[in-house]
Amino acid sequence: MLIFSTAQWGLADEESVSLALPQGPVILTISGAIERTNVDDEAHFDRTMLNALPQHEVRTDTPWTEQAHVYRGPLMRELLAHVGAQGEHVLVAALNGYDVKIPSDDFVAYDVLLAIESDGEPMPIREYGPLWVLYPFDYHEVLLSEKMRFRAVWQVMRINVL
């Protein structure tokens, strides 16, 4: 079951407030056209900071897993709103060097997660972690296209708002 929420880009009450500094290892860096930062002109997140954002769950199959799993994490649109993103695209980069440009409209049209857990456990690197831009494949047939599958980036380490 997918938990749905709506969010607008750029949260008005947070736009002028800097982000807290990460206390643990940084697992995500967001850069580019963002308003809220904590290290120079970037937003660095540790696991605790990502867990502090509103969390959502989706149970879905993926083209890469043998069965459905329950994934949990913030919605991409809410994460981007949290940093005051002002771009029409994001460039998502993975630990293995893969990167893909994703239209920001995807995050409004679909409840795309930045998954940080699978079946209640943190995802190790060898199992698509620590972060996975995950589309709710079971909920929209259009998401099963090759074009959309290429946008589901695992082992995410960086997002650049364009």
Side-chain angles (χ1 to χ4, degrees), residues 54-87:
Q55 300 294 297
H56 303 269
E57 290 185 348
V58 64
R59 179 180 174 80
T60 190
D61 283 298
T62 77
W64 308 278
T65 56
E66 294 181 17
Q67 63 189 23
H69 295 275
V70 176
Y71 298 95
R72 181 178 128 330
L75 292 174
M76 283 292 295
R77 65 175 167 261
E78 292 179 353
L79 172 63
L80 293 170
H82 185 69
V83 297
Q86 300 297 318

Side-chain angles (χ1 to χ4, degrees), residues 5 12 17 19 23 29-30 36 47 49-50 56 62-63 68 77 80 86-89 93 102 106-107 114 118 138 148:
S5 72
V17 180
L19 298 172
Q23 301 302 305
T29 300
I30 303 176
R36 297 184 72 216
R47 183 172 299 279
M49 293 169 72
L50 291 173
H56 303 269
T62 77
R77 65 175 167 261
L80 293 170
Q86 300 297 318
E88 294 182 17
H89 292 87
I102 303 172
D106 276 13
F107 309 136
L114 181 65
S118 174
D138 286 351
M148 299 306 278

Side-chain angles (χ1 to χ4, degrees), residues 73-133:
L75 292 174
M76 283 292 295
R77 65 175 167 261
E78 292 179 353
L79 172 63
L80 293 170
H82 185 69
V83 297
Q86 300 297 318
E88 294 182 17
H89 292 87
V90 297
L91 182 66
V92 180
L95 294 169
N96 65 3
Y98 179 76
D99 62 26
V100 67
K101 187 176 179 181
I102 303 172
S104 300
D105 289 347
D106 276 13
F107 309 136
V108 175
Y110 310 106
D111 288 335
V112 180
L113 284 181
L114 181 65
I116 58 178
E117 288 185 2
S118 174
D119 297 328
E121 297 293 329
M123 295 181 299
I125 290 172
R126 70 183 176 280
E127 294 177 21
Y128 310 105
L131 304 171
W132 188 355
V133 173

Side-chain angles (χ1 to χ4, degrees), residues 21-32:
L21 287 171
Q23 301 302 305
V26 173
I27 61 172
L28 176 66
T29 300
I30 303 176
S31 60

